[in-house]
Amino acid sequence: MKNNKVTHYLSKIEYLGNKLPHPVTIFLIFTVILFILSHILYTLDITVDFKGINPDNNKVENQTIHVISLLTSSGISHVFTNVVENFTSFVALGPVLVAMLGVGVAEKTGYLGAFIQKSVANAPKSLITPTIVLLGILSNIAASVGYVVLVPLGALVFLSFNRHPIAGLAAAFSGVAGGYSANLFLGTNDPILSGMTTEAAQIINPNYIVNATDNWFFMFVSTFLIVIIGTFITDKIVEPSLGKYDSPKHTTFNEINNKAFKWANISLAIVLVIIGLMVVPSNGILRGDNGNFIDSPFIHSIIFSMMLIFLIPGIVYGIIDHKIKNDKDAVRLMSDSLTTMSEFIVLIFFAAQFVALFEYTNIGTVLSVNGAELLKSLHVNGLTALIILILMTTMINILMAADSAKWALMAPIFIPMFMQLGVTPEVTQVAYRIGDSATNIISPLMPFFPYIVSVAEKYNKHNGIGTVVSVMLPYSIVILVLWTILFIIWYLLGIPVGPGTNTTI
């Protein structure tokens, strides 16, 4: 009965969400509202004074932020002169298109389908969902690769088991975005956030240092929590609510050419060995300074590596399977791969304008600082304030999806405040990361959200923002609640969140 009620409510959300105009129209409407709102707040001379981290020198500085109007002469000039840059610099555009050059060829030649069928042929069905969620979480080591590769792959894996592809998409997305900060290993985000936290902590204690490893214990355990949540929600709530998927267009893969599959795998192994030789040795070409792996050319170029990993075996498979007879066929397959992304590219153009203009107006910054000041004025104890911080971050995250940009703004406000409440910077950073992750999967302003919608549309042209939000909402709520409960227990027991850390000062 309870599950029926949940399904009913999710169906209502999907129905209402999909009754909204096309996402392009929605972003246009948002942009018009932003023009009007920015001018009203500008006319009222809304400003905030705060200490924030200057991204140019990574130092904490006193800053005064004004709301900028888009309807003044300078605002209109900014709009016209930055349209192209807003589009071409949008976070999701480059990674998706580059990855699709490889993934699209591997899919169209039949290699990707063959690989999935062979890989899951003998795999226990009960392990498919937790494996997809876990891989989603682990993919965050390599920045955005999980969004552009693993989310659509999750749908294909579920499809190969005759399960609903949207459930596979949701399982992967819950790990990649909902469990964004959790991981068994350190990711690219850890040194970035810890550096900002250090700068903020030194407002109170000039000698305080926060290391990249200082949240590792908590995030390691959190990985298993997110896997459990993602598996349960997918198998017990989301997939039953979706019903049976029976579109003939996507229920079968091409017949496997075993000879082509063999040589494609050999080419894949060669690609992996070549990349490995440039990455594994501490003095490898793609290692960073002093052998650094986290901040290395390899991590920064991971999307290109993933493109090669799909493209080369895809071409080899296509040549032996006679789908590729010459170089023109190979180029045509790559072109066809990008052609399927045309609607996504159009959507990204309008989404990029809104996101960039919203950031330019400083409205998000003003809201965030005022929210922080409100929390300070409540004069609550450490744990209560930390819980409020988690909830506040979830709401800010819907308007400001870039985690490092939010923390650059919030860290100089909250870190000194919580240090004065006796809470260490490392624990405050954990609270922020929980809130920053939980609502990624339901925020239309998250850079990769339009891409997730476009993947969902592949399996049903009627799928839209409402579909994705309704499917991901249970994950978001349960991850937020249970992850917060884990944090509360951890805090009350005084368990270190990382090596050599303390809970209280």
Side-chain angles (χ1 to χ4, degrees):
M1 180 65 70
K2 288 183 178 179
N3 194 53
N4 289 337
K5 286 185 176 180
V6 171
T7 300
H8 173 72
Y9 288 130
L10 294 180
S11 297
K12 284 287 187 183
I13 293 171
E14 179 182 8
Y15 174 79
L16 294 173
N18 288 341
K19 281 294 182 183
L20 293 171
H22 191 281
V24 166
T25 307
I26 292 174
F27 279 111
L28 276 173
I29 294 171
F30 283 172
T31 303
V32 171
I33 294 173
L34 181 63
F35 269 79
I36 298 170
L37 180 62
S38 69
H39 193 69
I40 292 173
L41 297 179
Y42 166 79
T43 303
L44 295 174
D45 194 26
I46 301 297
T47 63
V48 290
D49 297 306
F50 69 104
K51 286 186 176 180
I53 296 176
N54 186 331
D56 294 331
N57 56 23
N58 206 32
K59 298 295 183 182
V60 176
E61 298 176 354
N62 291 321
Q63 300 181 39
T64 298
I65 298 295
H66 301 260
V67 173
I68 300 174
S69 171
L70 295 172
L71 290 176
T72 60
S73 58
S74 60
I76 293 173
S77 175
H78 176 86
V79 172
F80 274 77
T81 56
N82 286 274
V83 167
V84 175
E85 184 179 351
N86 292 343
F87 178 48
T88 57
S89 62
F90 193 65
V91 173
L93 182 64
V96 170
L97 296 184
V98 171
M100 280 305 298
L101 287 174
V103 175
V105 170
E107 181 179 6
K108 290 181 181 299
T109 59
Y111 174 67
L112 187 56
F115 187 87
I116 291 172
Q117 287 186 79
K118 291 282 190 180
S119 300
V120 303
N122 299 313
K125 187 175 180 179
S126 60
L127 294 180
I128 295 303
T129 306
T131 300
I132 292 295
V133 179
L134 177 60
L135 289 175
I137 297 171
L138 297 181
S139 72
N140 290 317
I141 296 172
S144 57
V145 70
Y147 294 104
V148 299
V149 175
L150 195 66
V151 172
L153 203 58
L156 285 173
V157 169
F158 268 50
L159 196 56
S160 69
F161 272 88
N162 293 318
R163 299 178 64 180
H164 204 296
I166 299 301
L169 176 151
F173 194 26
S174 70
V176 174
Y180 181 68
S181 282
N183 216 304
L184 300 179
F185 312 99
L186 296 183
T188 54
N189 229 24
D190 290 284
I192 295 173
L193 295 182
S194 62
M196 293 180 177
T197 303
T198 295
E199 288 295 326
Q202 290 180 353
I203 295 173
I204 300 295
N205 181 350
N207 299 316
Y208 205 103
I209 301 292
V210 179
N211 297 307
T213 59
D214 283 357
N215 287 166
W216 184 50
F217 289 168
F218 184 83
M219 294 307 168
F220 185 94
V221 174
S222 297
T223 301
F224 299 99
L225 175 66
I226 303 300
V227 169
I228 292 170
I229 293 171
T231 301
F232 179 83
I233 297 295
T234 301
D235 293 347
K236 302 300 182 183
I237 297 177
V238 168
E239 193 164 16
S241 72
L242 291 170
K244 183 175 175 58
Y245 181 77
D246 55 8
S247 172
K249 183 179 178 181
H250 295 285
T251 51
T252 59
F253 293 108
N254 296 328
E255 184 178 348
I256 297 174
N257 183 322
N258 288 315
K259 180 182 177 182
F261 186 67
K262 171 187 173 182
W263 284 103
N265 286 338
I266 291 173
S267 71
L268 172 61
I270 292 172
V271 172
L272 292 174
V273 168
I274 293 173
I275 293 175
L277 290 174
M278 294 188 287
V279 175
V280 175
S282 59
N283 62 345
I285 296 172
L286 295 182
R287 283 294 191 116
D289 295 336
N290 301 317
N292 191 316
F293 177 76
I294 297 298
D295 185 20
S296 67
F298 171 69
I299 293 297
H300 292 303
S301 65
I302 190 70
I303 294 296
F304 177 64
S305 297
M306 294 304 298
M307 184 199 79
L308 295 177
I309 286 170
F310 284 94
L311 178 64
I312 293 176
I315 289 176
V316 171
Y317 189 96
I319 291 172
I320 298 175
D321 198 38
H322 305 299
K323 290 186 177 71
I324 298 177
K325 298 180 177 64
N326 51 49
D327 60 325
K328 294 178 181 177
D329 289 338
V331 173
R332 175 179 52 78
L333 288 177
M334 285 190 277
S335 300
D336 290 346
S337 301
L338 295 186
T339 300
T340 62
M341 303 300 297
S342 57
E343 186 171 345
F344 163 74
I345 295 171
V346 173
L347 173 56
I348 283 295
F349 175 81
F350 291 95
Q353 304 310 318
F354 174 75
V355 172
L357 292 177
F358 184 81
E359 181 178 351
Y360 172 75
T361 63
N362 289 326
I363 291 175
T365 303
V366 170
L367 290 174
S368 301
V369 173
N370 285 331
E373 294 299 327
L374 174 63
L375 176 56
K376 289 173 67 175
S377 68
L378 296 177
H379 302 297
V380 290
N381 63 41
L383 180 58
T384 303
L386 286 167
I387 296 171
I388 295 174
L389 172 60
I390 292 173
L391 297 176
M392 182 180 294
T393 305
T394 62
M395 292 182 284
I396 294 174
N397 190 45
I398 293 176
L399 297 175
M400 297 179 65
D403 57 335
S404 57
K406 281 198 303 292
W407 195 228
L409 167 68
M410 296 172 66
I413 300 171
F414 287 111
I415 292 297
M417 168 188 154
F418 279 98
M419 289 178 75
Q420 292 171 0
L421 292 174
V423 179
T424 60
E426 296 86 351
V427 171
T428 305
Q429 182 176 280
V430 167
Y432 164 77
R433 296 177 79 172
I434 293 172
D436 178 57
S437 299
T439 49
N440 278 334
I441 47 183
I442 59 171
S443 172
L445 297 188
M446 197 271 289
F448 288 94
F449 196 88
Y451 175 63
I452 305 303
V453 174
S454 72
V455 174
E457 288 177 341
K458 173 182 175 181
Y459 297 99
N460 188 328
K461 65 180 181 179
H462 300 297
N463 288 341
I465 289 179
T467 304
V468 177
V469 171
S470 66
V471 166
M472 301 312 302
L473 187 59
Y475 297 97
S476 183
I477 294 171
V478 177
I479 287 173
L480 176 61
V481 172
L482 295 188
W483 210 353
T484 301
I485 291 173
L486 174 65
F487 175 75
I488 292 170
I489 294 171
W490 200 287
Y491 181 86
L492 292 175
L493 293 177
I495 304 172
V497 294
T501 65
N502 297 307
T503 303
T504 58
I505 298 175

